[in-house]
Structure formats: structure tokens, C-alpha cells
Amino acid sequence: MAPTTSVQRHLVEQAAAGDDGAFESLIRQSAGRLLAIAYRILRDHHLAEDALQQALVTIWDELPRLRDPERFDAWSYRLIVRTSIAQARRERRGGPIVRLLPDDADASRAPDELAAVADRDQVERGFRQLKPDQRAILVLQHYVGLSLAEIADVLGIPVGTAGSRLHYAAAAFRAALDADDRTGETKERTA
């Protein structure tokens, strides 16, 4: 996690004291990161926006109780992860997601581009097979780039537990990708 700057610390302190302008500036700095984390956990823009909205309300309500302004980033990451996981559990949307291709999507694409799209789709299908908390820990490590100690801090768990959860999440992701490969091979043989 990037160290908190003196400007951000000042904004956190001012927002905690009830300064609407400081809160707005603080959120402008962090909302993009928080939305990206929520989207990568939920895999749906509308759900991610809902989770972000809920997290922002919680941030506003709870900010005066944040004891250390230096911990704002870790604290806000924890809130968005918890909100996203709760949102995913409420939705329990297991059905397929239909994505529209752009108008210029045609067969004239190079084979490498098509292979990249196929790989991305396979990763997406594998990621959707994971539980929300498994997605969250993988997002914190691979997307946000947090160390194991920082992940433990964000999730409020011991470092050993974070390592164990990360290991099992990665194993579940590999298993989902392997299962997807086997399904694809079976479809090719029957076609």
C-alpha cells in the first residue's frame, strides 16, 4: 500500500471533523480504486457501484471513529472488500452473463487477438467459480498489489491465515481453470 501523504492525512482529519469538501476530495482520490476492487470481486459493474455506494456511506458514518488517519487506505479497502463480499452473498447470481461485442467485432481479427480473448474469457469463467472471499484475497494480492502482511491487515486476520487463504484461493482458481479446460476438451470431442 502506498504510504499516506500529508495531504491525504489532512483530508482524512478534516473529513472526520465533518468537512464536506475534504470528504469529497478524499473520495475523489479513492473512489476509482475502491470501485475497481469491488468490480473485480463482484464481476458486475452495477453490483460494484452498489457496493461502492454502501462503502462510501459507511466511510462517511464511521470516519470520525477512525483512530489513525494513516490507516485510511487499509481501512477503506477493508470496508469495500466486506461490502463486496456481502453484496455477492446477497445476490448469489450464478447465471451466465451475456456481454455484447462491439459492432466492429468480426472474424477479421488476428488469431493472437482471438486467443487472448479466449484466454481472458476462460480466466473470467474460472474467477466466477470462486467464492467472493476467495476472489477478494486474489484481487488484493494480484490487482491491488498488497503484500501478505498488508492483506492480513486489510482483512483483519493473522498473516498465517492470510497466507493459508491465499493458497487455497489460488488452488481453487487453478482447479476451476482445469475444470474449464476439461469441459472445453469434451465439447470439442463431441462436436
Side-chain angles (χ1 to χ4, degrees):
M1 243 175 308
T4 303
T5 65
S6 61
V7 172
Q8 184 182 19
R9 180 184 176 85
H10 179 70
L11 287 174
V12 171
E13 290 169 347
Q14 293 299 108
D19 184 337
D20 292 344
F23 182 75
E24 183 180 341
S25 295
L26 185 63
I27 295 308
R28 283 184 194 273
Q29 290 178 3
S30 1
R33 286 189 311 264
L34 298 176
L35 180 62
I37 291 168
Y39 173 73
R40 281 166 176 78
I41 294 169
L42 293 164
R43 314 313 284 180
D44 180 282
H45 285 289
H46 298 293
L47 294 177
E49 288 171 351
D50 289 347
L52 175 63
Q53 195 70 26
Q54 289 174 332
L56 293 178
V57 168
T58 302
I59 289 170
W60 175 254
D61 289 342
E62 300 294 325
L63 192 57
R65 289 185 272 295
L66 179 63
R67 285 182 264 176
D68 184 2
E70 299 285 331
R71 310 269 312 123
F72 177 78
D73 284 338
W75 179 68
S76 63
Y77 288 165
R78 180 181 302 149
L79 289 174
I80 196 64
V81 166
R82 287 181 179 170
T83 304
S84 298
I85 290 171
Q87 180 79 14
R89 288 184 177 144
R90 275 193 305 273
E91 287 298 316
R92 298 259 185 217
R93 293 169 34 149
I97 301 294
V98 177
R99 294 199 177 141
L100 299 176
L101 294 173
D103 292 337
D104 64 347
D106 60 10
S108 66
R109 293 185 183 241
D112 287 345
E113 288 181 44
L114 293 175
V117 169
D119 290 345
R120 189 175 60 235
D121 287 347
Q122 182 182 21
V123 167
E124 178 71 19
R125 286 190 303 271
F127 211 67
R128 284 185 182 277
Q129 298 303 312
L130 300 177
K131 296 175 186 170
D133 55 332
Q134 292 172 324
R135 283 185 240 154
I137 201 159
L138 290 174
V139 166
L140 289 173
Q141 184 186 48
H142 295 289
Y143 175 73
V144 179
L146 300 182
S147 69
L148 202 53
E150 290 170 325
I151 291 171
D153 185 40
V154 165
L155 296 178
I157 57 178
V159 174
T161 303
S164 176
R165 287 185 187 177
L166 185 59
H167 169 77
Y168 286 112
F173 184 57
R174 281 191 297 276
L177 291 176
D178 289 345
D180 191 61
D181 276 343
R182 286 191 302 276
T183 302
E185 291 171 6
T186 304
K187 288 180 182 176
E188 288 175 10
R189 280 189 239 140
T190 58

